[in-house]
Amino acid sequence: MSNGRLAFFIAMAALLLRAQTPDPQNEFEVASIKKADPDARGRYIRMQTAHQFLAYNHALKTLIAAAYDVTPQAISGGPSWVESERYEILAKAPGDIRPNLNEQMTMLRALLADRFKLTIHRERREMSVFALTVAKGGSKLKVSTVSPDATPEGPPALAFVVSPGVLRLPARYASMDEFASLLQRGALERPVVDQTGLTGRYDFDLECAIDETLFGGALGKGLDNPAAPSLFAALREQLGLKLEATRGPVSAIVIDHAERASEN
């Protein structure tokens, strides 16, 4: 074999080996999983520091929803405990730079496959959805003044805060994709599709009533604050956005297999 052909085959072998070697940046360095406190309230996923990832009080089903960016209503299959048993995950991200949201979810998907032995497949389904659009009169959103690198843990987590009778969302450095994802993964019981055409990052505060249409009715009604607007009204009045009910194709997830994660 000529030196040129030998060099070619060595190079191809090296490329193949690298392709087959897992990328350490796609997995957490270490992770502990334990059952959540039965009295825990609320749930969230966020980077607590540049390297420490926390998923608090999540069922496997809502972890899957976050990891694959789908509404829980588009997830089916699996044993009953994937909805009822709640977990806390504390993990360390690799590298010297804080992972972005996509990188965090890539690592979460790998962790679920490893520790819960999770396997899934996708199915295309026609479902009722909400289209997030700009309301008549235009958007009221303000471009973010937050620097994503101002602190090691990055901008505050995009998460609802429950107060007596009122649901608040203090959003900082949020995109419309992320906002739509938050709405569909928690507050609303159908997929939310971003059709605003807004591509920037924004700071805003949303405040609405707690009622039976949110979080599957789990929070009850905010009867002690009847003056607070519904989520739909608050979107129009405070942000210049609206949700329109329609139907559309959704990439749904079917759980083929899942096992309880051992606590460690």
Side-chain angles (χ1 to χ4, degrees):
M1 180 180 293
S2 69
N3 288 340
R5 291 184 65 191
L6 178 60
F8 171 79
F9 281 111
I10 291 174
M12 290 302 294
L15 286 172
L16 182 60
L17 178 61
R18 284 199 295 270
Q20 293 175 340
T21 302
D23 184 351
Q25 298 299 315
N26 290 336
E27 298 180 1
F28 292 115
E29 284 188 2
V30 292
S32 67
I33 299 177
K34 64 179 183 180
K35 290 285 186 66
D37 186 325
D39 296 324
R41 294 292 179 266
R43 65 171 186 254
Y44 56 82
I45 293 176
R46 67 176 177 224
M47 296 297 297
Q48 298 205 118
T49 68
H51 303 291
Q52 186 167 289
F53 172 93
L54 175 64
Y56 176 78
N57 197 31
H58 269 271
L60 179 57
K61 187 171 185 177
T62 55
L63 288 169
I64 295 170
Y68 291 91
D69 192 20
V70 299
T71 175
Q73 283 64 42
I75 301 173
S76 61
S80 61
W81 60 262
V82 303
E83 296 187 56
S84 59
E85 296 184 6
R86 300 187 179 275
Y87 294 87
E88 182 175 305
I89 297 174
L90 187 62
K92 181 182 178 184
D96 299 325
I97 301 174
R98 182 186 68 250
N100 61 34
L101 182 60
N102 287 337
E103 291 165 340
Q104 294 170 40
M105 294 304 103
T106 296
M107 290 186 281
L108 180 58
R109 291 194 293 270
L111 182 66
L112 299 182
D114 177 43
R115 302 289 282 277
F116 287 91
K117 309 305 177 188
L118 177 69
T119 59
I120 65 162
H121 71 270
R122 294 272 195 172
E123 290 184 357
R124 202 71 171 168
R125 295 178 184 170
E126 186 82 7
M127 294 181 65
S128 296
V129 303
F130 282 123
L132 180 66
T133 62
V134 175
K136 185 178 180 180
S139 163
K140 299 179 182 180
L141 297 171
K142 303 298 183 183
V143 175
S144 178
T145 59
V146 173
S147 169
D149 301 315
T151 60
E153 63 271 19
L158 187 63
F160 285 105
V161 178
V162 180
S163 301
V166 177
L167 191 68
R168 293 185 173 90
L169 177 63
R172 300 295 180 267
Y173 199 70
S175 71
M176 288 298 96
D177 276 345
E178 292 167 353
F179 184 38
S181 177
L182 176 70
L183 290 173
Q184 75 169 6
R185 287 188 288 107
L188 300 170
E189 292 191 325
R190 64 173 69 182
V192 178
V193 182
D194 173 26
Q195 295 181 358
T196 62
L198 301 173
T199 58
R201 289 189 171 272
Y202 306 94
D203 298 338
F204 58 88
D205 291 279
L206 180 68
E207 183 175 302
C208 67
I210 297 173
D211 60 38
E212 67 277 5
T213 68
L214 303 177
F215 300 94
L219 301 181
K221 291 185 177 182
L223 298 178
D224 54 338
N225 191 3
S230 69
L231 173 63
F232 293 82
L235 284 170
R236 291 192 305 271
E237 296 165 5
Q238 299 167 24
L239 306 184
L241 304 176
K242 63 179 179 178
L243 288 168
E244 296 180 313
T246 183
R247 291 187 65 81
V250 173
S251 181
I253 286 178
V254 179
I255 300 173
D256 297 314
H257 181 79
E259 299 178 11
R260 289 181 171 91
S262 57
E263 295 192 33
N264 49 52

